[in-house]
Amino acid sequence: MSKILYLVFTTCLLLIGVSATITTVAAAGETYTLTTTPSRVQETRTGVTLTLNVTNAIFPSPYTFTITVTDPARNNKTLVKSQASTQSSWLITANYPNDFTTNITLVGNYYINVTQTLPVVKPTVATGTFLVGLTDSQAYNRTYIASIRAFGYLPSDNVTIRLTRSGGSTQGFPAWNLTGLDGSFLYKWHIANNTTLGTYNVTLAGKNTPQKNPRDTQTFTVDRTRVTIDSLTITPTIAVRTATVDFRFHASYASGLPVQSGTALVRITDHGTSSFSTASYDPVQGLFAASYKLPLDMSAGPISPALDVNTIDDSYGNTGPASIKTNTFTVLPAQLAVIASLSKTSYTSSEPVVITATVTTPDGATYNQGSVRASIFNKGQTIGNPFDLTYDQARGAWIGSYNPGPKDPSGTWTITVAASDSYGNSGAASILGIVNIPSASVLDTYSWILPMLVAIIFASAALVLVKRKVASSGVTLDVQAVKKQADQVKSDDFFKSLQSQLEQKTTKWKNKKETQTKDENG
Amino acid sequence: MKMARTIAIHSFKGGVGKSTIAANVAVALAIKGRRVGVMDMDLEGPGLHAFFGIDPTQLRFTINDVLAGVAPIEAASVRMTEKLGLKNGGEVYYAPASVKISEIMRTIKSGFELEYFSEALARLGNRLGLHYILIDTHPGIEPSTLLAIGACDHQIIVSRVDQQDVFGTSVMVEVASTLGKPAHLILNMIPPRVKEADVVKFAKTLASHFAVESAGWFPWAEEVIGSLSKSILVLKSPRHAITERFRHLAEIIESFN
């Protein structure tokens, strides 16, 4: 870790071109400090700024210095700089190679020596050094671009670039490129997300240019790159149990390029236990996606899935995120869909009322756990005791029955079937059945009256029901609740805006029609 | 030229067969010689492309581009006639929605304007000489659904006979009614044990409480479910009983005033 930090730190220093204080040589009275900015450059014309800072200087007095730069081939270039001292501190600057009428064409260390000739002769008052390389950095992370630049070749020369690692060649190399008319050379190496890690050696050689001494060669390192994600998106943000929740996120390398391979683990923790959903890259959507089906016993309330540190891997060892990424969605209990039916719609006292119910979870799966109970009502009064339905595996349905007793009232019975479990998932449905409990004496004496009574009772019950509820095929509908819900939609700003736009459209259309009619009538 | 009749196909819940109905009825109308546009307005979860065997990522423009104002609607419409093998003069044009999350989010965030969308529909109808434009919407009640209700002449609302769905469907009908748009109900995926008489009765009962007309019902059909939304039954099985029901629905649509 400390090595990585050091590498990152030094890389940053080199990339941003921090000034480096090299050496301070103090003479009697004056103090001399030489700095080079930047401390490392590529072979170029722009070069390095050398700054000599003199303090405790004599003034007024003329000062003259001789600055000598020795290149890696041990050739010296000299520059004489003078300064009229009018205060105790001042600076002298020079640019290498421009002020020395030369170019930087060799890689390696350049040494600087400063001597003073006025007001008094002093041997070396300051020394310094700067480094010249071929690449714009000495350490790269995958997916970045290594810019290889050189100078001092013949115009339009064909330069071969060799890139090796541990003595072996690198895919795509050797490569070549032509120099410019000024003898400059540039090659950009796009470091792939799966480039082998390690120390690389780059060497340049021109076809017609005489070989440089020292040769244009340099090493640099390639390390893994960090994967970052923007945010973890969860759809929907409110989901009922058994629904499938989708997790999506965009992943990028530190260079900004998108990550288009690999997997990530999305952690979902509930009841103190973590389960993981694997997100993989979806090339159609251009993002990472995973799904998670909410179990029936999942805790209701907010749940925060997370992408933990370094749980995304692009398959090549580039990992992320550096810090945990999380988001929250809300789990609601499942509303169980109950469809209840009766074997018949009309019964007599001797026949059991058989109730069959299919119960499904919101995802459409058959619900065969928890309990399903039926309650029977007539005119607000409960008939018998609520009783359990049992699950019939073969029929895939819950079944139960009630035997009407001779004292049970005839008429329209409302049978409510309710499914529930200890996790709070629930659902219910009501169905109607006409039950005829015949009385022997009534049957004998007024056999024609009973059907009429049943009809009247049913009609009355139906009349009461339609005012509020519609029921058929095991589905009940609260008309008032529908109207109330619709009113909520109608009070929404978007709806109002739409309604207003429609009215305007209608008015516009009417006006247009009227104008047309007037025109037609002359 | 007569304006294209626009019909939005809605549902309160997802997975009730809305896209299946939209694709099959579009083709059924085309087989009868009609020129039909079918548009995927399920901007948050488009799926109609699967029926037509189209990869929306390969298309230059989608409905999202139209709503964003960067493409005319006809540029986002794909002529499907040859691909579907229609040879009697009928035409099907398919207008896909983007499956790219970024574009979906852009469209949802950019908002919806009725006049702009209505004009886009009119333009599509005029440019392509369409008789009908069917719009497959996103399930539920939300801005894109309300926009489709507001912009279309007719609404077809697809529902299963299920407690939640019937409730939500009734709310949709009530909302459409407030906007003065006629609504037609299709009960779909009716379980085999439910008798036709009960379904008809149920549809009539709903119609007596809300401003909705029954446009038929479809039984649960393994063949339709088993096709995994990848084929059009009307073409694949022209003699299937469900195909006959799609044809009947096409006739009902032709009778819309």
Side-chain angles (χ1 to χ4, degrees):
Chain A
M1 184 66 187
S2 60
K3 279 184 180 175
I4 293 171
L5 283 173
Y6 174 74
L7 202 60
V8 171
F9 178 66
T10 50
T11 304
C12 291
L13 282 180
L14 293 170
L15 283 172
I16 62 176
V18 169
S19 300
T21 301
I22 308 301
T23 302
T24 302
V25 178
E30 296 96 338
T31 302
Y32 306 89
T33 307
L34 178 66
T35 57
T36 56
T37 308
S39 58
R40 181 185 183 277
V41 290
Q42 292 170 275
E43 288 183 9
T44 174
R45 275 178 173 164
T46 49
V48 177
T49 301
L50 315 177
T51 306
L52 182 68
N53 186 3
V54 181
T55 55
N56 296 327
I58 301 165
F59 66 94
S61 172
Y63 273 77
T64 302
F65 298 95
T66 302
I67 305 169
T68 306
V69 177
T70 307
D71 70 16
R74 299 186 183 280
N75 296 316
N76 292 332
K77 293 288 178 186
T78 301
L79 175 69
V80 175
K81 290 282 281 186
S82 296
Q83 171 79 23
S85 174
T86 56
Q87 53 193 355
S88 67
S89 299
W90 34 267
L91 302 173
I92 283 182
T93 61
N95 180 277
Y96 185 87
N98 292 346
D99 295 341
F100 292 75
T101 58
T102 185
N103 289 316
I104 297 180
T105 60
L106 297 172
V107 296
N109 280 307
Y110 285 66
Y111 297 97
I112 310 144
N113 186 70
V114 183
T115 58
Q116 183 178 296
T117 52
L118 277 178
V120 290
V121 175
K122 286 183 182 175
T124 305
V125 294
T127 62
T129 182
F130 62 89
L131 181 65
V132 172
L134 297 172
T135 59
D136 56 346
S137 171
Q138 288 174 292
Y140 294 94
N141 293 102
R142 285 167 169 172
T143 74
Y144 282 89
I145 297 171
S147 178
I148 300 160
R149 197 182 286 274
F151 202 65
Y153 286 84
L154 291 173
S156 304
D157 194 11
N158 193 338
V159 174
T160 301
I161 174 167
R162 288 187 171 77
L163 191 64
T164 58
R165 191 188 69 84
S166 303
S169 62
T170 305
Q171 191 180 2
F173 291 92
W176 61 270
N177 203 6
L178 292 177
T179 59
L181 293 175
D182 61 350
S184 63
F185 173 81
L186 175 65
Y187 185 86
K188 293 195 173 196
W189 181 40
H190 293 256
I191 305 171
N193 60 347
N194 60 352
T195 294
T196 307
L197 306 178
T199 301
Y200 285 78
N201 186 278
V202 58
T203 304
L204 305 180
K207 187 177 180 184
N208 300 316
T209 306
Q211 186 176 300
K212 294 184 185 180
N213 183 22
R215 297 179 67 184
D216 265 349
T217 184
Q218 183 218 308
T219 61
F220 62 88
T221 59
V222 173
D223 202 353
R224 291 182 178 85
T225 190
R226 171 64 72 190
V227 172
T228 60
I229 71 164
D230 49 358
S231 59
L232 177 63
T233 303
I234 304 174
T235 313
T237 51
I238 300 174
V240 294
R241 293 171 182 149
T242 78
T244 298
V245 175
D246 293 326
F247 307 118
R248 293 190 175 91
F249 60 88
H250 289 275
S252 310
Y253 294 111
S255 61
L257 292 176
V259 180
Q260 296 178 323
S261 63
T263 55
L265 291 177
V266 181
R267 175 174 52 79
I268 303 107
T269 303
D270 185 35
H271 299 305
T273 306
S274 291
S275 50
F276 293 91
S277 181
T278 303
S280 51
Y281 182 72
D282 179 345
V284 176
Q285 298 187 66
L287 45 69
F288 283 78
S291 295
Y292 182 73
K293 190 175 170 63
L294 308 181
L296 265 176
D297 63 347
M298 191 161 198
S299 302
I303 294 283
S304 299
L307 276 164
D308 291 321
V309 172
N310 291 343
T311 49
I312 308 169
D313 189 323
D314 70 346
S315 305
Y316 305 111
N318 303 306
T319 59
S323 59
I324 189 169
K325 285 280 179 183
T326 186
N327 203 345
T328 301
F329 71 103
T330 304
V331 176
L332 299 179
Q335 189 165 5
L336 304 170
V338 179
I339 298 177
S341 62
L342 299 175
S343 52
K344 300 167 65 176
T345 52
S346 183
Y347 296 86
T348 63
S349 65
S350 58
E351 295 175 292
V353 177
V354 179
I355 302 154
T356 305
T358 57
V359 184
T360 49
T361 50
D363 64 336
T366 302
Y367 180 82
N368 57 7
Q369 49 187 290
S371 70
V372 177
R373 288 174 76 76
S375 307
I376 304 176
F377 305 92
N378 174 255
K379 297 179 184 173
Q381 299 297 314
T382 306
I383 298 173
N385 293 319
F387 56 95
D388 286 327
L389 275 61
T390 54
Y391 186 71
D392 183 334
Q393 194 74 40
R395 296 172 65 181
W398 295 80
I399 297 171
S401 64
Y402 177 79
N403 292 311
K407 290 183 181 174
D408 286 338
S410 291
T412 304
W413 288 9
T414 301
I415 299 154
T416 301
V417 179
S420 62
D421 59 25
S422 58
Y423 310 118
N425 305 306
S426 62
S430 294
I431 42 173
L432 301 180
I434 302 167
V435 180
N436 179 8
I437 312 292
S439 157
S441 57
V442 171
L443 267 178
D444 291 342
T445 317
Y446 302 105
S447 57
W448 59 274
I449 292 177
L450 193 61
M452 185 178 282
L453 278 175
V454 170
I456 290 167
I457 290 166
F458 180 69
S460 306
L463 204 63
V464 170
L465 277 170
V466 293
K467 280 189 177 173
R468 182 160 174 74
K469 292 193 173 183
V470 182
S472 185
S473 306
V475 175
T476 61
L477 185 62
D478 188 329
V479 176
Q480 296 307 321
V482 169
K483 305 243 182 221
K484 197 175 168 189
Q485 188 70 44
D487 286 343
Q488 271 186 22
V489 176
K490 290 177 204 172
S491 66
D492 181 78
D493 287 344
F494 184 84
F495 182 88
K496 286 178 183 168
S497 151
L498 196 68
Q499 202 171 15
S500 151
Q501 288 180 63
L502 267 175
E503 281 165 8
Q504 283 172 16
K505 194 180 164 190
T506 311
T507 310
K508 220 188 263 180
W509 183 81
K510 275 182 185 168
N511 291 342
K512 196 178 169 186
K513 273 279 171 196
E514 278 174 14
T515 312
Q516 274 179 357
T517 312
K518 279 179 190 169
D519 289 347
E520 281 166 14
N521 294 338
Chain B
M1 185 182 168
K2 201 177 172 184
M3 296 268 281
R5 194 154 291 285
T6 47
I7 298 136
I9 302 176
H10 305 287
S11 70
F12 180 68
K13 288 176 77 174
V16 301
K18 189 166 43 66
S19 299
T20 305
I21 289 172
N24 278 280
V25 169
V27 175
L29 283 164
I31 289 172
K32 288 163 71 72
R34 302 294 185 174
R35 298 171 66 86
V36 187
V38 56
M39 181 185 294
D40 199 343
M41 268 285 280
D42 189 349
L43 301 174
E44 293 173 51
L48 203 50
H49 57 276
F51 288 92
F52 293 114
I54 293 278
D55 176 1
T57 60
Q58 302 300 311
L59 301 175
R60 191 170 172 205
F61 295 115
T62 62
I63 285 300
N64 305 63
D65 297 308
V66 176
L67 292 174
V70 298
I73 194 163
E74 60 271 26
S77 304
V78 187
R79 188 166 183 259
M80 299 299 304
T81 311
E82 283 76 19
K83 188 175 169 69
L84 295 171
L86 300 171
K87 291 173 182 168
N88 63 341
E91 298 267 13
V92 172
Y93 288 89
Y94 164 56
S98 174
V99 294
K100 292 176 187 167
I101 291 294
S102 56
E103 289 183 16
I104 290 171
M105 294 312 293
R106 180 191 70 183
T107 308
I108 291 168
K109 284 176 183 168
S110 65
F112 305 94
E113 195 187 333
L114 177 70
E115 190 170 357
Y116 178 75
F117 187 59
S118 299
E119 280 173 6
L121 288 179
R123 182 186 168 102
L124 181 69
N126 290 337
R127 288 291 173 99
L128 303 177
L130 301 178
H131 296 110
Y132 298 99
I133 300 174
L134 306 181
I135 299 177
D136 184 17
T137 65
H138 184 63
I141 303 171
E142 55 170 57
S144 69
T145 325
L146 293 172
L147 179 74
I149 292 175
C152 288
D153 304 318
H154 289 264
Q155 320 298 317
I156 288 179
I157 304 176
V158 185
S159 174
R160 291 177 70 166
V161 182
D162 144 320
Q163 189 76 36
Q164 294 172 357
D165 208 2
V166 165
F167 179 84
T169 298
S170 304
V171 174
M172 292 185 94
V173 168
E174 184 70 7
V175 169
S177 163
T178 306
L179 293 176
K181 302 291 180 173
H184 308 266
L185 174 71
I186 291 176
L187 294 172
N188 196 19
M189 299 179 180
I190 304 295
R193 65 179 176 281
V194 179
K195 293 174 187 167
E196 179 168 2
D198 285 341
V199 179
V200 172
K201 186 180 164 194
F202 183 62
K204 279 184 180 170
T205 312
L206 276 180
S208 69
H209 284 272
F210 303 103
V212 64
E213 282 180 34
S214 173
W217 65 281
F218 288 79
W220 176 270
E222 287 297 336
E223 297 86 335
V224 178
I225 307 298
S227 71
L228 302 174
S229 306
K230 285 182 179 170
S231 63
I232 295 172
L233 190 76
V234 169
L235 291 171
K236 193 180 171 190
S237 307
R239 294 185 180 177
H240 196 283
I242 302 290
T243 295
E244 192 50 49
R245 286 177 184 268
F246 283 129
R247 283 197 203 104
H248 179 60
L249 181 56
E251 283 168 9
I252 290 176
I253 288 173
E254 284 183 312
S255 71
F256 284 171
N257 292 321

